[in-house]
């Protein structure tokens, strides 16, 4: 089959086959391309969509990007069940198999070092949201009797907000310290913009944790025990994922 080569991840050789019905980006099944003790998981994609110019245009198309990201993630998820993949960026494309092998050879040392560090480990994501709306809605609304009364109420609301954010910051800092103490490594990501994420509440912690797969159940239990510690705080756990946050700047 002709076309460009879309690369999902690099990993060590693995013996367990991927699901027979698995399809990747552009509907093509992924396959293993082996070179010097490394495997690149690739599929064929059409030039009219994945050459440099059309790809740049497609990345501005939210519907196209969503579908492509979903297919990309599906392959990474399947790989995570059979090996430890080192995920590459969405839209990593080469002209042919030779180009993929050249890339693997050039980065072989970095790939092997990173794969050694990630072997048998997965990424868990933890987010904390502060939900002041739920606290405020529980209070009965009081109509101000005067302009001075209105200003007093506004000052109280401001003070209440400040106290709530301070509690949220303290809770998030404490939680991150506890989880980081359990995990082998951690990353703090920028808080999510609620206008983009469409999730209620203010995101005060957005972190990733690298955990040995064998200890994942203990990590999940540790997170679960924190969920009722602070009223008005919502703790969300996602994973296990391939270790995107720990793959290094070059991946």
């Amino acid at each position: 089959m002709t076309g460009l080569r879309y690369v999902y991840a690099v990993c060590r050789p693995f013996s367990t086959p991927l699901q027979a019905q698995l399809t990747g980006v552009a509907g093509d099944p992924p396959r293993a391309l082996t070179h010097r003790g490394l495997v690149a998981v690739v599929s064929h994609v059409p030039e009219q969509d994945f050459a440099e110019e059309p790809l740049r245009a497609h990345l501005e198309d939210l519907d196209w990007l969503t579908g492509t990201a979903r297919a990309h993630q599906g392959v990474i998820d399947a790989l995570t069940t059979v090996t430890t993949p080192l995920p590459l960026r969405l839209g990593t494309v080469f002209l042919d198999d030779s180009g993929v092998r050249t890339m693997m050879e050039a980065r072989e040392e970095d790939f092997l070092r990173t794969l050694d560090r990630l072997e048998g480990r997965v990424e868990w994501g933890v987010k904390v949201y502060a939900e002041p709306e739920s606290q405020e809605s529980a209070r009965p609304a009081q109509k101000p009797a005067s302009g001075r009364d209105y200003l007093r109420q506004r000052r109280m609301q401001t003070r209440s907000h400040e106290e709530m954010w301070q509690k949220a910051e303290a809770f998030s800092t404490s939680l991150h310290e506890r989880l980081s103490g359990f995990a082998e490594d951690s990353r703090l990501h920028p808080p999510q913009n609620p206008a983009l994420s469409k999730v209620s509440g203010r995101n005060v912690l957005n972190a990733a944790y690298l955990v040995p797969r064998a200890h994942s159940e203990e990590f999940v239990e540790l997170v679960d025990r924190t969920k009722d510690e602070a009223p008005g705080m919502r703790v969300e756990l996602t994973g296990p994922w391939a270790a995107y946050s720990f793959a290094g700047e070059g991946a």
Side-chain angles (χ1 to χ4, degrees), residues 24-229:
V25 171
D28 190 56
R31 65 184 177 88
L33 180 62
T34 303
H35 183 68
R36 294 169 61 102
L38 289 171
V39 171
V41 179
V42 307
S43 60
H44 295 80
V45 290
E47 289 190 44
Q48 63 264 30
D49 288 320
F50 288 88
E52 185 175 353
E53 289 301 322
L55 178 59
R56 184 180 297 115
H58 278 315
L59 292 176
E60 302 296 323
D61 180 343
L62 185 58
D63 289 338
W64 186 92
L65 184 60
T66 299
T68 301
R70 186 178 295 116
H72 177 102
Q73 185 60 46
V75 174
I76 299 297
D77 288 345
L79 281 170
T80 305
T81 66
V82 300
T83 187
T84 299
L86 177 55
L88 301 190
R89 291 191 182 100
L90 181 75
T92 298
V93 178
F94 292 87
L95 184 62
D96 52 24
D97 286 355
S98 178
V100 179
R101 290 193 175 98
T102 299
M103 177 272 294
M104 284 197 287
E105 187 164 338
R107 299 174 59 185
E108 179 180 16
E109 192 173 312
D110 287 341
F111 283 148
L112 289 173
R113 183 168 52 248
T114 304
L115 285 167
D116 283 344
R117 183 167 59 88
L118 300 181
E119 182 66 32
R121 293 154 178 84
V122 291
E123 176 175 327
W124 290 91
V126 176
K127 295 182 177 67
V128 175
Y129 297 91
E131 300 181 297
E133 296 86 354
S134 61
Q135 294 179 348
E136 292 176 0
S137 62
R139 300 170 183 159
Q142 295 182 349
K143 186 176 180 179
S146 64
R148 179 177 294 179
D149 192 33
Y150 171 77
L151 291 175
R152 182 183 61 80
Q153 288 185 14
R154 291 293 295 170
R155 283 195 298 269
M156 291 178 62
Q157 289 173 356
T158 299
R159 188 179 302 116
S160 176
H161 277 196
E162 290 174 351
E163 291 175 354
M164 192 274 297
W165 297 133
Q166 289 173 0
K167 290 178 181 177
E169 181 70 22
F171 174 72
S172 296
T173 300
S174 173
L175 177 60
H176 179 60
E177 288 176 352
R178 279 181 282 170
L179 298 181
S180 296
F182 184 93
E184 290 189 351
D185 202 354
S186 63
R187 294 286 186 275
L188 283 172
H189 298 305
Q192 290 185 323
N193 185 333
L196 300 177
S197 65
K198 308 297 184 184
V199 177
S200 65
R202 177 174 169 178
N203 183 207
V204 293
L205 177 67
N206 182 13
Y209 302 92
L210 184 68
V211 179
R213 188 186 296 274
H215 297 161
S216 285
E217 186 173 341
E218 297 169 63
F219 183 81
V220 171
E221 291 174 353
L222 177 60
V223 176
D224 284 343
R225 288 198 298 269
T226 71
K227 291 187 175 181
D228 297 322
E229 286 184 0

